[in-house]
Amino acid sequence: MPSTDTVFAGSIPELYDRFLGPLLFQPYAAEVAARVSRWKPEHILETASGTGIVTEAVHNAAPSARIVATDLNQAMLDVATRRVKSDRVCFLVADAQHLPFADESFDLVLCQFGVMFFPDKAKANSEARRVLKPGGHYLLVIWDSLDRNPVSLTLADAVAAEFPDDPPRFLERAPFGYADYDRIERDMHAGGFTDISIETVQLSSRVSAEGAARGMCLGSPLTAEIEERGKGAVGRATAAAERALQKFEGQDVPMSAIFATAIK
């Protein structure tokens, strides 16, 4: 995976949060929060927490829990700290593959749409297991394949068609490149988990063609890959994506993710 696939810097965090948050992340954050409220954890670790969309939802759903929200990118956490202001939440730069916490520190470790970017997924799973208390939950939310996420597929195809000789492949390579139940389960077993359940969760979100195009082409690591195609490439890609997404304008469009849960 190219190093640019994990870089969320510059203007990307703000645009990511503004446009992709409502489109892609908030619906699943609500589902995560509902599950967390049933488990009633008191000490929660979130990895790859990004701009705090899940953090906020979980904070509201678990009113007595203390949350440590971590991410590799300080710029993402800067947005998160403006979103969530609470003495029950601590934001910290940390690598999910090398967690700076003592053994058996948390009742729950969760990660929404982050594990796909981890170079060593088994190591991240083993670190999650290490810091979990016995009986604690581990929750991973992973994008299903592109063909089960129509908005992202349409956008990916439109951008690829704009550069047919060298199409950007970030979406299928990174966020949508880990949609394999067997692989997910193998990596969780490699991390030491045995009590594992995996399911597909289908939700929907209301689409703004302009917002989706700007969010993905200007507010994600796809931006850097498009920029490599030359001057004006980002503008071309964004316009092409918006045209292609017009067919979804104002509609509630389905999307699909995989929820992998383990108990220590």
Side-chain angles (χ1 to χ4, degrees):
M1 183 180 295
S3 60
T4 53
D5 282 1
T6 59
V7 175
F8 293 79
S11 62
I12 286 177
E14 296 281 358
L15 294 169
Y16 169 102
D17 187 69
R18 178 180 174 185
F19 295 115
L20 297 184
L23 177 70
L24 300 178
F25 305 121
Q26 287 178 357
Y28 281 104
E31 175 64 23
V32 168
R35 296 181 184 220
V36 171
S37 69
R38 294 195 294 269
W39 293 332
K40 295 180 170 41
E42 290 298 314
H43 296 91
I44 300 170
L45 171 64
E46 182 185 359
T47 59
S49 62
T51 59
I53 292 169
V54 176
T55 316
E56 180 180 41
V58 170
H59 171 265
N60 293 335
S64 65
R66 293 193 170 275
I67 304 169
V68 179
T70 66
D71 197 275
L72 270 181
N73 295 278
Q74 181 63 55
M76 297 290 270
L77 294 178
D78 289 343
V79 177
T81 57
R82 295 195 292 272
R83 176 190 297 279
V84 185
K85 298 182 182 297
S86 171
D87 59 6
R88 294 193 290 111
V89 179
C90 170
F91 291 100
L92 180 70
V93 173
D95 184 346
Q97 301 160 120
H98 304 282
L99 293 171
F101 308 110
D103 296 356
E104 301 183 1
S105 298
F106 299 96
D107 307 303
L108 167 66
V109 178
L110 66 91
C111 180
Q112 176 171 290
F113 301 133
V115 68
M116 307 90 70
F117 298 95
F118 298 162
D120 190 341
K121 296 169 178 59
K123 174 62 174 174
N125 293 336
S126 69
E127 278 290 272
R129 189 178 186 280
R130 179 183 65 78
V131 302
L132 269 177
K133 298 175 183 178
H137 286 83
Y138 182 38
L139 174 60
L140 296 174
V141 184
I142 300 157
W143 281 119
D144 207 342
S145 57
L146 262 177
D147 60 3
R148 301 192 70 183
N149 287 277
V151 170
S152 297
L153 175 61
T154 299
L155 186 144
D157 287 347
V159 172
E162 196 67 22
F163 309 98
D165 295 332
D166 186 20
R169 297 296 187 192
F170 165 73
L171 292 181
E172 58 201 88
R173 181 178 64 245
F176 297 93
Y178 190 49
D180 183 323
Y181 273 40
D182 290 340
R183 184 181 173 196
I184 294 165
E185 188 170 16
R186 283 198 305 272
D187 286 342
M188 294 181 82
H189 278 303
F193 290 102
T194 56
D195 187 351
I196 300 166
S197 63
I198 302 176
E199 62 181 306
T200 298
V201 178
Q202 295 180 317
L203 299 176
S204 65
S205 66
R206 183 65 55 91
V207 174
S208 157
E210 178 186 8
R214 292 186 66 188
M216 203 71 82
C217 296
L218 297 170
S220 82
L222 177 61
T223 308
E225 192 173 7
I226 297 171
E227 286 175 338
E228 294 171 355
R229 273 68 185 167
K231 184 178 179 180
V234 172
R236 285 171 52 200
T238 305
E242 184 176 349
R243 288 194 299 271
L245 291 169
Q246 283 295 332
K247 64 182 180 181
F248 299 125
E249 182 67 36
Q251 299 179 35
D252 290 321
V253 180
M255 54 186 177
S256 183
I258 297 166
F259 277 54
T261 307
I263 300 174
K264 181 174 178 179

